[in-house]
Amino acid sequence: MAFFNRQMDLMQQARASSTFNPMKLTVVLYDNEATVSSRRAAFHRVENALGLHDNMKLPHIYSGLDREGLYLEGVRRARVITHDMITHGHNHFQWLNERYQICNSSPFGMNFLMFRRTIELQGTADQRRYWLQEIDQMRINGAYAQTELGHGTFVRGIETTATFDVGTDTFTIHSPTPTSVKYWPGGLGFSCSHAIVAARLITRGKDHGVHMFIVQIRSLEDFAPVCGVELGDLGMKMAYNGTCNGYARFNYLRVPRSSLLAAHAQVSRDGTYGQAQTKVGTLPVSKRVYSTMLDTRRNIVRCVAFGLAQAVTITTRYSIVREQGRLMFSDATDEEAAIIMFKSQHYRLLTLIAQSYAILFAAKDFDVRYDQLVCEQEKDDHARLPFMHALSTGLKAWATTIASAGATEARKMCGGHGFVALSGLPEIEGTVSATVTFEGENYVMWQQLVVYLFKQVKALCSGQDVDIEVKDYMGGVRTYLDEETFPSRIQGCGKEKLFDGSTLLLIYKERSQRLLATAYSSYREMCNRCSAAEAWNTCMMTSLAAGQAFVEYIVIESFLKRISSLDTEDAPISEALSHLFCLFALTTITSPSPSFAAGSFLEHGLLTSDELNKIRVRVNELLAHLLPNIAALTDAWDFTDSSLCSALGCKDGNVYERLLSWTRQLPANSGRAVEKAWEASEGIEEFFKASRL
Amino acid sequence: MAFFNRQMDLMQQARASSTFNPMKLTVVLYDNEATVSSRRAAFHRVENALGLHDNMKLPHIYSGLDREGLYLEGVRRARVITHDMITHGHNHFQWLNERYQICNSSPFGMNFLMFRRTIELQGTADQRRYWLQEIDQMRINGAYAQTELGHGTFVRGIETTATFDVGTDTFTIHSPTPTSVKYWPGGLGFSCSHAIVAARLITRGKDHGVHMFIVQIRSLEDFAPVCGVELGDLGMKMAYNGTCNGYARFNYLRVPRSSLLAAHAQVSRDGTYGQAQTKVGTLPVSKRVYSTMLDTRRNIVRCVAFGLAQAVTITTRYSIVREQGRLMFSDATDEEAAIIMFKSQHYRLLTLIAQSYAILFAAKDFDVRYDQLVCEQEKDDHARLPFMHALSTGLKAWATTIASAGATEARKMCGGHGFVALSGLPEIEGTVSATVTFEGENYVMWQQLVVYLFKQVKALCSGQDVDIEVKDYMGGVRTYLDEETFPSRIQGCGKEKLFDGSTLLLIYKERSQRLLATAYSSYREMCNRCSAAEAWNTCMMTSLAAGQAFVEYIVIESFLKRISSLDTEDAPISEALSHLFCLFALTTITSPSPSFAAGSFLEHGLLTSDELNKIRVRVNELLAHLLPNIAALTDAWDFTDSSLCSALGCKDGNVYERLLSWTRQLPANSGRAVEKAWEASEGIEEFFKASRL
């Protein structure tokens, strides 16, 4: 335990200024007190088992490990959290691990997430009976091997073949080209005994397209790769080094006919291919897969809310205790100011904090819609699936873009110290950044959302039914389509109360409606001159901007909903969250996230220059209101010190002593690097000049 | 040598479509043919000596090395390039190393950059005579130890003490607190025998403030730290792992009185402190330090142009050969499109390419001004120093912000493959990212620029002299200050030719003048209500936006200058660069870089919504014009395969075979990771469940 020092004092002062008890906000973030307690207990047990409680001790992960060392540490951690979930019957680490990273960053993470689910969805009753039990008793660990070196989201491009041989009643799994090598699947390199392999089913000389096979890839006796499979790891990554994203090259591997997941397609003993669909309700299987994707995406959105909040928590704490430089034109003699006092830091921090809340509340609002959808689907009502799928793509793209940019920004705000692994920020930044491209690259995601929205506009224009969720919204789009000029409907309807939630919501709604109408019109017009594909491609940047504006409108709505649903007993919390909402809405206007329509709040008279200036003044006022609560707003996320794993971000504020202590414990500093570099040379000139080690 | 394959064919086709010979553009980028040849020869020798010519061989740096291994590889490389420069008498690697990283990423990089320069500037004739020779003959390697754990750019905050003891005629260097430990200096951890140490000079009980001392920190016999100094490395960083940014903790280390760099301040034998200034010309030493900073900053700007260009070169090449998915609404059956054909990729790539050229041309234009300044300063004319200093801060902040965001974007554009170290992109992204905070954190830089601009406005308003470089510009600012409304001077003066260079320059100029006038007025007004420091801080976000707009105007001007100075014999090159210029100017309007005034092109009638739509259409046309030259525009930077060090970015386009080959060569794949994880458990359940390795 360190002696109380200046930094710890600054941190204590920052906490003392808060207008509410952060624990009460924690309950809002995690829904109820029981969850908060149960999570805390789980973190405590796990961190105890992993030996992480002494926060003055250098975390093993930062000790300069090589590739193998980082992986072994990942295995060690994954074992502990899995063990804890089984022993104590909870699922706190099912989606987010003990560092709030999404579970595919764990060597065992894909087992339940994708491997089990695929069997559940595509296996026959027999297959489910056998394999699900193996998985649940953890006798096997599975990967999901779809992506190939040359093929990503476009499943039809997959090249791996599974050719049926009637003589031996087996499929032969083979990688015919370099581009067909399975590449990237989580856990595939070292950790999995089995894999779902996506491969083209060929029987009687005919290619029936991509099907799923369950394939054993390692011996259960000694874990060596089975004959006919070459397995390996992809090496170092920006993050996720605790797992072994890997490759698999199949060399005429024979697997029994029963390897085909056969709920929806079968190959009979004589090699006949058949598609005896076992329908589950009225929804075809291909559509049911959407539900899985929905579930994954909503978890990604929640995950990056935590990722951004982690980064901002570290940076906030560091900014509270870091005294550096003086305010420009300051009369103070040699007193340095805490960097949080500089408006640039103050502004950026609170903007990012507001974004982390906005993402989490959007995730929660989506969860409510999702739960409702699940209920409806159980009653065989799938009407809302297209809207939900579209919204999930847009939310995923928006949240991961914002969170990734925000985590990077938070890291840069810690200066040089943020660049060092010990700050914890490079790892968090890398982890969040991965979500931008995985489970659907964001520019593909945006397009899927906009295609949905265009379809709805088209239905509207041709008098067909519009989905219930967007019916009201599309009404507003129509007026923009119909009118030659774009009269702002904002004027006269409440802009005197520019900062009311309802006015802000209206501004976001009108802006997105206008952008959507404009984008659709441009696209339709272009369709007269070229093919739909070319028209789409030509107009893409404008269309994507419309999609982004739609999501921003939904996010504003979700944030507002969440605030209004709060127990109003705790006025200071309500007030702080209202300020945070307003800051989020206004800074997204003054400093929009990059898009081809970044000026859209100002176009067509939506907002005037004068209103924009009022907004800028209001932003400054909100920053002042929120500053006393900045520690509380980040403390409320309830991150343990070891989940942040940061010398800069521990709760006590004891930044410098901890950073120095961790640095001095680095193994390289008691290692032989200097001697090795030195021994190879003879004297100082050689040390510098020798051209070979 | 690989067999010719589809990817290589796609790459060849992309090159065949170019309208000019990229080698001619290379000469434009490197100024003349002699430089291009000499650079090529140097790269060839160095890569040969380092064993990097076989681009199917896994680069050692990606082999999953631990902290020590990465450092030793850094030493090996630094030796080879240093040796080559000495042997062949060139300085191609003096600022940028063989990977186009700025030289402080090398274990020997600070020796000339900061160590030698400081002695040159602050040493007496005797000191210079002795030490410069030691350095030039490479008998010592020096670090520059100013930054402390708790103290960065604010030099007066430094805590390390150097107390003179008259009895022994020595200074005692000491680190009195944890925050006083020297932390971050490049090369300090393992590589340096000496260091310039910034410490408070105390003699006869009086603190005379921070002075520079030259201190031996390691033995020249065995390179062990001298007694009284604890040295160490900071561990892993996002990049720069080839050098050992380090810490030094002094424990009453005694050094001779002659350690004080004494050109400007001396301590006599009896402990008397004196400031017998040796003036060099009329400029005080404190101001001469600015010249050093200017030189460093212009090199950072050039460096990040190359860094961004490297990232974009890799991404461009990958996008040309990566076929993934189909265009939305496409009729094509199963043909996948190269991702460069998707407008989002096409738009983002060319926007980033345009930015890399804009940064390089801005650096070159600054170099011209800098050379002129050096001439003037030799004649003791320092009038342009304040402007040049301010411009250098703004350019550094702007270029590093743009380049860092761009390198990140380029990496994300490669999807999952970009996340893997083998792509080379994480290393480039990290390297560029470091420049955002080092040598002056960007938000500090922006403030310095705006303080300068405000001073000039103030001079203007009070009828005093305005610096010659901004005289004309300030005239325009005045009209915005004087007028109640802001009439756009663009209208009627050329907007019919919206896309002419001169119109675009005018738009940028007017926008920045208006923003500066507004920011200054707000600040002045606020000064009536509170202290200057508070007023500055309150208005900071608006002020910084004005600074950013000023730099963008200068960059537009520099780009135009460079184009007009081109030999017009090569019309296709001129045309391509003009298109690139226009794309840069227009995309900075449609998708402005984040700022508090992102909507400023639309405010006060500068551009109308209609004009904005015309701009969007023009952007699409420019993208189409530039696409055939996209390979040539990146090839022109003349990066060798091993300087890019990327499985995705080699010139031949053979992406997949190389990525697979490198992956299979990873040592972890023939290592014992699996066995180690497995051996600790007894059977498969234990493998997953055991809570301890």
Side-chain angles (χ1 to χ4, degrees):
Chain A
M1 197 57 195
F3 289 107
F4 195 73
N5 58 32
R6 175 157 179 84
Q7 288 73 41
M8 295 158 91
D9 183 42
L10 286 166
M11 186 61 83
Q12 207 169 75
Q13 286 177 38
R15 290 214 171 85
S17 69
S18 84
T19 62
F20 59 84
N21 176 355
M23 176 61 192
K24 290 193 177 170
L25 185 51
T26 303
V27 175
V28 173
L29 295 183
Y30 293 95
D31 300 321
N32 55 63
E33 280 181 34
T35 306
V36 174
S37 307
S38 159
R39 285 182 71 263
R40 285 186 171 183
F43 272 90
H44 187 83
R45 286 188 307 267
V46 160
E47 292 174 358
N48 196 41
L50 288 167
L52 303 174
H53 274 159
D54 178 0
N55 64 17
M56 292 304 276
K57 196 176 142 195
L58 175 71
H60 184 55
I61 202 166
Y62 297 145
S63 59
L65 299 170
D66 65 6
R67 176 71 199 103
E68 194 170 293
L70 287 167
Y71 168 67
L72 291 174
E73 174 66 3
V75 172
R76 186 175 84 98
R77 286 176 167 244
R79 280 180 182 168
V80 171
I81 62 172
T82 309
H83 184 72
D84 194 78
M85 283 195 288
I86 293 171
T87 312
H88 296 274
H90 65 85
N91 60 4
H92 296 306
F93 305 120
Q94 194 191 337
W95 275 100
L96 303 184
N97 71 11
E98 82 290 354
R99 294 212 39 208
Y100 295 82
Q101 296 167 339
I102 202 159
C103 61
N104 62 355
S105 66
S106 151
F108 309 152
M110 300 307 280
N111 196 33
F112 289 87
L113 175 58
M114 293 295 286
F115 184 72
R116 190 183 194 286
R117 273 184 184 235
T118 307
I119 296 169
E120 224 177 339
L121 206 61
Q122 304 196 30
T124 61
D126 278 355
Q127 286 176 322
R128 292 202 299 270
R129 197 173 310 117
Y130 178 76
W131 290 109
L132 298 186
Q133 182 186 279
E134 291 290 292
I135 294 165
D136 293 340
Q137 293 178 13
M138 303 206 73
R139 280 198 290 266
I140 62 174
N141 185 35
Y144 182 81
Q146 178 177 307
T147 304
E148 297 178 351
L149 191 48
H151 309 281
T153 45
F154 188 69
V155 178
R156 274 173 294 174
I158 279 171
E159 291 180 79
T160 302
T161 52
T163 311
F164 186 66
D165 173 38
V166 75
T168 54
D169 197 22
T170 59
F171 287 103
T172 303
I173 311 277
H174 186 59
S175 312
T177 60
T179 44
S180 73
V181 171
K182 296 294 178 190
Y183 203 90
W184 250 101
L188 186 61
F190 302 142
S191 314
C192 288
S193 60
H194 290 70
I196 299 288
V197 175
R200 316 193 73 80
L201 191 161
I202 298 168
T203 179
R204 295 181 169 175
K206 185 161 181 242
D207 181 340
H208 293 275
V210 177
H211 288 68
M212 298 296 170
F213 298 83
I214 181 161
V215 177
Q216 182 167 353
I217 55 175
R218 286 187 180 273
S219 152
L220 291 179
E221 301 306 315
D222 62 2
F223 228 59
V226 301
C227 188
V229 191
E230 178 189 334
L231 296 170
D233 172 69
L234 308 192
M236 290 290 210
K237 292 153 290 184
M238 295 183 74
Y240 282 73
N241 287 311
T243 188
C244 49
N245 295 82
Y247 76 92
R249 186 173 172 139
F250 296 100
N251 187 27
Y252 300 105
L253 174 71
R254 286 192 180 265
V255 298
R257 182 159 57 94
S258 61
S259 300
L260 172 65
L261 287 181
H264 320 299
Q266 301 82 30
V267 171
S268 63
R269 182 63 191 87
D270 67 354
T272 310
Y273 177 82
Q275 280 201 324
Q277 283 274 353
T278 320
K279 261 197 188 171
V280 189
T282 57
L283 197 71
V285 171
S286 60
K287 296 282 176 194
R288 290 198 81 84
V289 174
Y290 281 129
S291 307
T292 307
M293 289 196 291
L294 283 187
D295 199 24
T296 306
R297 286 195 193 121
R298 73 192 180 113
N299 279 292
I300 291 175
V301 176
R302 195 170 64 244
C303 175
V304 299
F306 285 102
L308 176 56
Q310 282 193 306
V312 186
T313 299
I314 293 169
T315 305
T316 300
R317 289 175 181 171
Y318 180 63
S319 301
I320 287 167
V321 308
R322 170 75 172 176
E323 295 169 291
Q324 167 64 50
R326 295 187 305 156
L327 294 175
M328 203 69 78
F329 304 125
S330 170
D331 298 328
T333 49
D334 270 352
E335 188 89 341
E336 296 188 67
I339 58 176
I340 204 164
M341 299 313 295
F342 292 86
K343 184 66 70 179
S344 51
Q345 197 84 355
H346 179 183
Y347 171 85
R348 293 153 85 199
L349 273 178
L350 275 161
T351 302
L352 297 177
I353 290 173
Q355 288 173 357
S356 64
Y357 278 84
I359 298 172
L360 185 71
F361 291 157
K364 283 180 184 290
D365 193 35
F366 189 86
D367 287 348
V368 173
R369 297 177 194 254
Y370 180 82
D371 292 343
Q372 196 188 329
L373 176 71
V374 170
C375 287
E376 291 165 7
Q377 289 198 298
E378 275 164 14
K379 293 173 200 143
D380 219 14
D381 171 5
H382 309 288
R384 294 198 317 124
L385 194 53
F387 169 76
M388 288 295 285
H389 176 255
L391 183 56
S392 80
T393 62
L395 271 181
K396 186 269 181 187
W398 173 81
T400 59
T401 302
I402 293 288
S404 170
T408 298
E409 182 83 351
R411 189 260 305 162
K412 288 178 180 171
M413 290 168 71
C414 292
H417 288 349
F419 195 73
V420 178
L422 298 179
S423 73
L425 290 163
E427 174 82 9
I428 294 170
E429 180 182 359
T431 303
V432 175
S433 187
T435 63
V436 167
T437 50
F438 79 35
E439 292 298 324
E441 196 274 338
N442 280 354
Y443 281 76
V444 176
M445 295 290 93
W446 286 125
Q447 289 189 66
Q448 295 190 3
L449 168 64
V450 178
V451 164
Y452 169 83
L453 292 173
F454 275 17
K455 277 185 188 161
Q456 296 298 313
V457 180
K458 191 180 174 188
L460 179 87
C461 293
S462 56
Q464 291 174 306
D465 278 353
V466 171
D467 282 351
I468 186 82
E469 285 80 2
V470 292
K471 195 155 193 152
D472 161 68
Y473 179 86
M474 288 294 161
V477 175
R478 183 200 285 273
T479 61
Y480 282 113
L481 282 172
D482 292 345
E483 288 161 31
E484 269 301 293
T485 56
F486 297 119
S488 170
R489 284 190 294 279
I490 309 286
Q491 263 128 31
C493 68
K495 274 215 284 191
E496 69 278 12
K497 290 180 180 172
L498 188 58
F499 309 121
D500 280 5
S502 55
T503 311
L504 291 170
L505 183 63
L506 193 61
I507 290 170
Y508 273 83
K509 189 177 182 184
E510 294 283 330
R511 166 207 181 220
S512 77
Q513 286 170 329
R514 188 188 65 72
L515 283 175
L516 181 56
T518 310
Y520 182 74
S521 300
S522 304
Y523 163 71
R524 290 299 308 164
E525 201 190 309
M526 195 61 76
C527 280
N528 296 329
R529 288 189 262 158
C530 56
S531 73
E534 278 174 73
W536 174 265
N537 206 34
T538 304
C539 302
M540 192 193 294
M541 296 313 293
T542 316
S543 304
L544 300 189
Q548 185 177 322
F550 176 78
V551 175
E552 285 172 349
Y553 157 63
I554 295 285
V555 171
I556 291 283
E557 189 184 46
S558 300
F559 205 145
L560 268 181
K561 264 194 223 167
R562 180 65 35 173
I563 293 177
S564 62
S565 75
L566 280 184
D567 190 348
T568 48
E569 268 179 53
D570 205 326
I573 285 186
S574 294
E575 191 188 31
L577 288 180
S578 296
H579 284 153
L580 215 50
F581 161 76
C582 198
L583 186 71
F584 172 73
L586 298 181
T587 53
T588 304
I589 293 173
T590 55
S591 316
S593 46
S595 121
F596 202 55
S600 56
F601 284 105
L602 289 171
E603 287 184 74
H604 300 286
L606 184 60
L607 287 172
T608 64
S609 295
D610 269 359
E611 283 162 345
L612 205 62
N613 282 332
K614 277 184 202 151
I615 287 174
R616 290 184 182 126
V617 171
R618 181 66 186 154
V619 165
N620 264 336
E621 290 167 4
L622 290 166
L623 292 178
H625 286 318
L626 284 163
L627 188 59
N629 282 321
I630 201 163
L633 286 167
T634 46
D635 284 350
W637 291 79
D638 206 34
F639 296 123
T640 61
D641 282 347
S642 68
S643 72
L644 294 174
C645 207
S646 165
L648 306 185
C650 287
K651 206 164 178 181
D652 62 10
N654 191 17
V655 163
Y656 298 121
E657 289 181 14
R658 181 166 298 111
L659 187 52
L660 188 58
S661 167
W662 286 14
T663 307
R664 297 172 84 187
Q665 292 172 58
L666 288 167
N669 289 333
S670 50
R672 296 192 62 255
V674 182
E675 288 85 338
K676 282 186 194 164
W678 180 252
E679 279 164 8
S681 53
E682 297 171 16
I684 194 81
E685 287 91 346
E686 281 305 306
F687 178 61
F688 302 126
K689 287 187 195 167
S691 64
R692 297 278 180 187
L693 255 189
Chain B
M1 195 61 192
F3 289 107
F4 195 73
N5 59 30
R6 176 158 178 83
Q7 287 73 42
M8 293 158 91
D9 183 42
L10 286 167
M11 186 61 82
Q12 207 168 74
Q13 286 176 39
R15 291 215 171 85
S17 70
S18 84
T19 62
F20 59 83
N21 176 355
M23 176 59 192
K24 289 193 179 171
L25 186 50
T26 304
V27 175
V28 173
L29 296 182
Y30 293 97
D31 300 321
N32 55 63
E33 282 181 33
T35 305
V36 174
S37 309
S38 158
R39 286 183 69 263
R40 286 187 171 183
F43 272 90
H44 187 82
R45 286 188 307 267
V46 159
E47 291 173 359
N48 196 40
L50 288 167
L52 302 173
H53 275 158
D54 179 1
N55 64 19
M56 292 303 277
K57 195 176 142 196
L58 175 71
H60 184 56
I61 202 165
Y62 296 144
S63 58
L65 300 170
D66 66 5
R67 177 70 199 102
E68 194 171 293
L70 287 168
Y71 168 67
L72 291 174
E73 174 66 3
V75 172
R76 187 175 83 98
R77 287 177 165 242
R79 280 180 183 170
V80 170
I81 60 172
T82 309
H83 184 71
D84 195 77
M85 284 195 288
I86 293 172
T87 313
H88 296 274
H90 66 83
N91 60 4
H92 296 306
F93 305 120
Q94 193 192 335
W95 275 99
L96 303 183
N97 72 10
E98 81 291 352
R99 293 206 49 203
Y100 295 82
Q101 297 166 338
I102 202 159
C103 60
N104 62 355
S105 66
S106 149
F108 309 151
M110 299 307 280
N111 196 31
F112 289 89
L113 176 57
M114 292 296 286
F115 184 70
R116 190 184 194 284
R117 275 187 183 233
T118 308
I119 296 170
E120 224 178 338
L121 206 62
Q122 302 196 30
T124 60
D126 278 354
Q127 286 175 322
R128 292 201 299 269
R129 199 171 308 121
Y130 178 77
W131 290 110
L132 298 187
Q133 181 186 283
E134 292 289 294
I135 295 165
D136 293 340
Q137 294 178 12
M138 303 206 73
R139 280 198 291 264
I140 63 174
N141 185 36
Y144 182 81
Q146 179 177 307
T147 304
E148 296 178 353
L149 192 48
H151 309 281
T153 45
F154 188 70
V155 177
R156 272 173 295 175
I158 280 171
E159 292 179 80
T160 302
T161 51
T163 310
F164 185 66
D165 174 36
V166 75
T168 55
D169 197 23
T170 60
F171 287 103
T172 302
I173 312 277
H174 186 59
S175 310
T177 61
T179 45
S180 74
V181 172
K182 295 295 176 187
Y183 203 89
W184 251 100
L188 186 63
F190 301 142
S191 312
C192 289
S193 59
H194 290 69
I196 299 288
V197 175
R200 317 192 73 81
L201 191 163
I202 299 168
T203 178
R204 293 182 170 175
K206 185 162 183 242
D207 181 340
H208 293 275
V210 177
H211 288 67
M212 298 297 170
F213 297 82
I214 180 160
V215 177
Q216 180 167 354
I217 55 176
R218 285 187 181 274
S219 152
L220 291 179
E221 301 307 315
D222 62 3
F223 228 58
V226 300
C227 188
V229 191
E230 178 189 334
L231 296 170
D233 172 69
L234 308 192
M236 291 289 212
K237 292 154 289 185
M238 296 183 73
Y240 284 67
N241 288 311
T243 188
C244 49
N245 295 82
Y247 76 92
R249 185 174 171 138
F250 297 100
N251 186 27
Y252 299 105
L253 173 70
R254 286 194 181 261
V255 298
R257 184 161 53 97
S258 60
S259 300
L260 171 65
L261 287 180
H264 320 299
Q266 301 82 30
V267 171
S268 61
R269 181 64 192 85
D270 67 352
T272 310
Y273 176 81
Q275 279 200 327
Q277 282 272 353
T278 319
K279 259 197 190 171
V280 191
T282 58
L283 198 71
V285 171
S286 60
K287 295 283 177 192
R288 291 198 80 86
V289 174
Y290 282 129
S291 306
T292 307
M293 289 196 291
L294 282 187
D295 198 25
T296 305
R297 286 193 194 123
R298 73 192 180 114
N299 278 292
I300 291 176
V301 175
R302 196 169 64 241
C303 174
V304 298
F306 285 102
L308 176 56
Q310 282 194 307
V312 185
T313 299
I314 293 169
T315 305
T316 299
R317 290 176 180 170
Y318 179 65
S319 301
I320 287 168
V321 307
R322 171 73 173 178
E323 294 169 291
Q324 168 63 51
R326 295 188 304 155
L327 293 175
M328 203 68 80
F329 305 125
S330 170
D331 299 328
T333 48
D334 268 354
E335 186 90 341
E336 296 188 67
I339 58 175
I340 204 165
M341 300 312 296
F342 294 86
K343 184 64 71 180
S344 51
Q345 197 86 353
H346 179 183
Y347 171 84
R348 292 154 86 199
L349 272 178
L350 275 161
T351 303
L352 297 178
I353 290 173
Q355 287 172 359
S356 65
Y357 278 83
I359 298 172
L360 185 69
F361 291 158
K364 282 180 185 291
D365 194 35
F366 189 85
D367 287 348
V368 173
R369 297 177 195 254
Y370 180 81
D371 292 342
Q372 196 189 330
L373 176 71
V374 170
C375 287
E376 291 164 5
Q377 289 198 299
E378 276 165 12
K379 293 175 202 142
D380 219 14
D381 171 6
H382 310 289
R384 294 199 316 126
L385 194 53
F387 169 75
M388 289 295 286
H389 177 257
L391 183 55
S392 79
T393 61
L395 271 180
K396 187 270 179 184
W398 173 81
T400 57
T401 302
I402 294 287
S404 170
T408 298
E409 182 83 351
R411 189 261 305 164
K412 288 178 180 172
M413 290 169 71
C414 292
H417 289 348
F419 195 73
V420 178
L422 298 180
S423 73
L425 290 164
E427 173 80 11
I428 293 170
E429 181 182 359
T431 303
V432 175
S433 187
T435 63
V436 168
T437 50
F438 78 35
E439 292 298 323
E441 196 273 338
N442 280 354
Y443 281 76
V444 175
M445 295 289 94
W446 286 125
Q447 289 189 66
Q448 293 190 2
L449 168 64
V450 178
V451 164
Y452 169 83
L453 292 173
F454 275 16
K455 276 185 190 164
Q456 295 298 312
V457 180
K458 191 180 173 189
L460 179 87
C461 294
S462 56
Q464 291 172 305
D465 279 351
V466 171
D467 281 351
I468 186 81
E469 286 79 3
V470 291
K471 193 153 195 155
D472 162 68
Y473 179 88
M474 289 293 160
V477 175
R478 183 200 287 271
T479 62
Y480 282 114
L481 283 171
D482 291 346
E483 289 159 32
E484 268 301 293
T485 57
F486 297 119
S488 168
R489 282 189 297 277
I490 309 286
Q491 264 128 30
C493 68
K495 272 213 286 191
E496 69 277 14
K497 292 180 178 171
L498 189 58
F499 308 123
D500 281 4
S502 56
T503 312
L504 291 170
L505 183 63
L506 193 61
I507 290 170
Y508 273 83
K509 189 178 181 182
E510 294 283 330
R511 167 207 180 222
S512 76
Q513 286 169 330
R514 189 188 65 72
L515 283 174
L516 181 57
T518 310
Y520 183 75
S521 300
S522 303
Y523 163 70
R524 289 300 307 166
E525 201 189 310
M526 195 60 77
C527 279
N528 297 330
R529 287 190 264 157
C530 54
S531 73
E534 276 174 73
W536 174 265
N537 205 35
T538 304
C539 301
M540 192 193 295
M541 295 313 292
T542 316
S543 304
L544 300 189
Q548 186 176 321
F550 176 78
V551 175
E552 285 173 351
Y553 156 63
I554 294 284
V555 170
I556 291 284
E557 190 185 45
S558 300
F559 205 145
L560 268 182
K561 264 194 224 168
R562 179 64 39 171
I563 294 177
S564 62
S565 74
L566 280 184
D567 189 348
T568 49
E569 269 178 53
D570 206 326
I573 286 185
S574 293
E575 192 187 31
L577 289 181
S578 295
H579 285 153
L580 215 51
F581 162 77
C582 197
L583 185 72
F584 171 74
L586 297 181
T587 53
T588 304
I589 293 172
T590 55
S591 316
S593 46
S595 118
F596 202 55
S600 55
F601 284 104
L602 290 169
E603 287 184 75
H604 301 287
L606 183 60
L607 287 171
T608 65
S609 295
D610 270 359
E611 283 161 345
L612 206 61
N613 283 332
K614 277 184 202 153
I615 287 174
R616 289 182 183 128
V617 171
R618 181 65 187 155
V619 165
N620 264 335
E621 291 166 5
L622 290 167
L623 292 178
H625 288 316
L626 285 163
L627 189 59
N629 283 320
I630 200 164
L633 286 167
T634 45
D635 285 350
W637 291 79
D638 206 34
F639 295 124
T640 61
D641 282 348
S642 68
S643 73
L644 293 174
C645 206
S646 165
L648 305 185
C650 286
K651 204 162 181 182
D652 62 10
N654 192 19
V655 163
Y656 298 121
E657 291 182 12
R658 180 166 298 112
L659 186 52
L660 188 57
S661 167
W662 286 13
T663 307
R664 296 172 84 187
Q665 293 171 57
L666 288 168
N669 290 332
S670 51
R672 297 192 63 255
V674 183
E675 289 85 339
K676 281 186 193 164
W678 181 251
E679 277 165 8
S681 54
E682 298 172 16
I684 194 81
E685 287 92 345
E686 281 304 306
F687 179 60
F688 303 126
K689 287 187 195 167
S691 63
R692 295 281 179 183
L693 257 189

